[in-house]
Every structure is written in C-alpha cells, then in structure tokens.
C-alpha cells in the first residue's frame, strides 16, 4: 500500500511538514528539495477508528508527531532528531485525535483523554471538574484559552486547567473546531 497523496500536514513560519508514503518530510522556503526527517510509520493500518496519518503539531523548531501505532515523538531541532515520549505519558490509549500548541504548552488529544505538558517531559492528564477523563476529538486555541469538542459536547479549559462543558450538543462526529471572538465553530 503506497500513499499517492500527502497527508498529515503542518506549517511553522516558512517550514512545512508533510507525511508522504508513511515518512515525515520537511521543506523550508528556498531549499531545493524535501528533507526526509527519518520518522517512518511502518504500521500499515490505523488503530481502531484512528486516523490513517500522522497527527502533527509544530511551534518554531519543536515538532510533535503522533503515529498510527499510538507512539508520540518529539523533535527539538525541526525533525533532525527524534525522541519517543510514549513511555513517559500518564495515560494509555490507542490513537491520537489532535495535537496543538497553546503558548508554550502542548495539548495531545487521544481516544482516552487529553494530555498536556509545558516541557514535553512532565505530563498531566486533563480531567473535568469531577475527575473524569474527557475524550476530545479536536482542540483549538484562542489567545490563551483552550477549547475542545468531542461526542459529549464542547469544552473550555477553566482557570484550574480542567475541562468545563460549555455546550452539551455537537455534531455526531467532530471533524474540525475553530474559535473566533466569542463564537465556537464545530464541523
């Protein structure tokens, strides 16, 4: 099985990352060709209902990649070297839903809940106000406020870093979420 078209895409400044044929490639404006970062996914199929591509997030030279097999990798040098962070994560899951940056923190949404870290080494699981791991399909950020949407509703992180439900209704399957001003848009 060979992918004909790129999938898993992220941009930081003038640096572009794309998954092509199960490899993560990088290209910077002015470079003559794509650079193979060495991150390869040999798992031919996604885990149960998981995405069939890398889940990517980039901020400056920091790159996070969630692979199909549930492994989380981080690069601090634009993809030249990689560290597998999976063993340090406090939550066990099958696949990634989304990864986003909010200021210096990264948020990793999985099929079992959401993890966050300010340094990529120390992780915590985000729960709601009663301690439940809320499953979020997509995460978005407006300034410093983090929002998420999943099958059980739309959420906002409160000042204590817990999910607070702001709407019990969302479409049956959340494909995308965005925020503009005081409105949350869910597709």
């Amino acid at each position: 099985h060979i992918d004909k078209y790129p999938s898993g895409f992220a941009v930081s400044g003038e640096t572009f990352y794309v998954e092509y044929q199960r490899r993560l490639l990088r290209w910077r404006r002015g470079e003559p060709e794509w650079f193979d970062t060495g991150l390869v996914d040999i798992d031919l199929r996604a885990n149960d209902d998981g995405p069939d591509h890398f889940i990517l997030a980039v901020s400056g030279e920091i790159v996070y990649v969630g692979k199909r097999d549930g492994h989380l990798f981080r690069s601090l040098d634009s993809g030249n070297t990689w560290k597998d962070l999976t063993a340090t994560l406090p939550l066990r899951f099958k696949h990634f839903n989304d990864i986003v940056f909010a200021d210096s923190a990264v948020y990793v949404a999985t099929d079992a809940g959401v993890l966050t870290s300010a340094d990529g080494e120390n992780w915590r699981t985000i729960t709601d106000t009663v301690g439940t791991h809320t499953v979020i399909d997509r995460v978005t950020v407006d300034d410093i406020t983090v929002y998420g949407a999943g099958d059980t509703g739309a959420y906002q992180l409160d000042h204590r870093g817990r999910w607070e439900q702001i709407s019990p209704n969302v479409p049956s399957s959340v494909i995308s979420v965005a925020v503009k001003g005081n409105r949350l848009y869910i597709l």
Side-chain angles (χ1 to χ4, degrees), residues 18-93:
V18 66
E19 178 189 356
Y20 182 67
Q21 295 185 349
R22 303 194 181 269
R23 301 184 83 75
L24 185 64
L25 306 177
R26 179 189 73 214
W27 179 77
R28 290 187 179 116
R29 189 174 294 242
E31 290 181 347
E33 58 188 37
W34 287 88
F35 170 77
D36 186 339
T37 66
L39 197 63
V40 180
D41 197 343
I42 58 172
D43 196 9
L44 294 180
R45 54 186 200 99
N47 283 318
D48 307 325
D49 300 324
D52 195 25
H53 56 83
F54 287 150
I55 302 296
L56 307 169
V58 182
S59 178
E61 293 187 348
I62 302 172
V63 184
Y64 281 88
V65 176
K67 291 174 60 176
R68 290 168 190 80
D69 64 3
H71 279 78
L72 180 65
F73 286 82
R74 180 189 69 195
S75 174
L76 299 175
D77 56 10
S78 302
N80 291 325
T81 60
W82 295 97
K83 180 176 183 180
D84 186 345
L85 304 174
T86 311
T88 65
L89 302 178
L91 185 65
R92 296 297 160 232
F93 52 89

Side-chain angles (χ1 to χ4, degrees), residues 110-145:
T110 74
D111 64 321
V114 180
L115 304 163
T116 187
S117 177
D119 61 8
E121 299 293 328
N122 300 292
W123 294 87
R124 74 174 179 86
T125 305
I126 301 174
T127 62
D128 63 13
T129 55
V130 295
T132 304
H133 292 178
T134 305
V135 176
I136 300 292
D137 294 325
R138 298 289 176 262
V139 180
T140 192
V141 180
D142 181 33
D143 194 25
I144 60 169
T145 305

Side-chain angles (χ1 to χ4, degrees), residues 138-161:
R138 298 289 176 262
V139 180
T140 192
V141 180
D142 181 33
D143 194 25
I144 60 169
T145 305
V146 178
Y147 297 90
D151 292 344
T152 59
Y155 297 83
Q156 171 183 326
L157 278 184
D158 67 16
H159 67 281
R160 292 184 175 168

